[in-house]
Amino acid sequence: YRKTALLIAPVYLALYLAAAAASRQTHRLQRRAGSTRRASRWLWSAALVAGLAVLLGAVWAWPPALIGGLVVLYVVEAMWRPLVTSRFDEDTPEQQGATVLSVESQGRSLTAALLAPALGYAVDNVAGQPSYVPVGIVAVVIPAVALAIATAGRSQETPEPRR
């Protein structure tokens, strides 16, 4: 167990440092995208590509794609937090800001509480052996649905400047 702990520690350190660095640079993504809405779509697109890598890595039993996709998803999630806070700040009346953030946080916690055990069960029991295919499916479906909703919502917003 000690050897495993010594090997895992640098991996977690690298993940946390990458996520922290990405989170601190989210404002640059937002500025480059031209709006928080467009930056959100960019992050959902990156999450979809990473989810496809996870799914294909799981189906083809190719660990580099699986691990790479999971790392990218982790970094995208770290960037999502400051971006969603900015979006709520822009789209929510000032007196409701704290309530909206609280509801979003509770929704995120509830989703994790429901999804994590279900995915854990699916990973352990698909085809009678551990498989990350269910994780890949969820990692593709969620950003695909989010992009579909965002694309449908684009017709209702004012046009964003093209760069």
Side-chain angles (χ1 to χ4, degrees):
Y1 291 112
R2 184 178 173 153
K3 182 178 178 183
T4 301
L6 290 175
L7 293 174
I8 289 175
V11 172
Y12 272 101
L13 177 64
L15 281 173
Y16 283 120
L17 291 176
S23 178
R24 289 183 51 95
Q25 299 304 315
T26 302
H27 68 282
R28 291 183 185 197
L29 172 75
Q30 185 177 340
R31 191 173 344 131
R32 188 163 190 208
S35 73
T36 54
R37 281 185 169 81
R38 183 177 285 155
S40 294
R41 286 193 296 271
W42 287 6
L43 285 179
W44 281 121
S45 297
L48 180 60
V49 170
L52 286 169
V54 170
L55 180 59
L56 294 175
V59 168
W60 293 336
W62 192 38
L66 177 66
I67 293 167
L70 290 171
V71 168
V72 170
L73 284 172
Y74 187 77
V75 170
V76 165
E77 195 275 333
M79 295 179 80
W80 180 252
R81 199 73 204 127
L83 189 64
V84 78
T85 303
S86 294
R87 284 203 56 191
F88 287 152
D89 188 47
E90 291 174 4
D91 296 341
T92 305
E94 188 175 328
Q95 63 273 20
Q96 294 176 345
T99 302
V100 170
L101 284 172
S102 177
V103 168
E104 185 272 339
S105 177
Q106 291 172 14
R108 177 192 287 259
S109 296
L110 180 62
T111 301
L114 297 175
L115 198 54
L119 268 178
Y121 179 82
V123 164
D124 288 341
N125 294 293
V126 166
Q129 63 183 15
S131 170
Y132 289 101
V133 171
V135 174
I137 291 169
V138 170
V140 168
V141 168
I142 290 175
V145 169
L147 279 170
I149 292 168
T151 302
R154 283 178 80 177
S155 62
Q156 299 172 358
E157 48 182 85
T158 56
E160 297 173 0
R162 291 271 181 214
R163 292 190 178 224

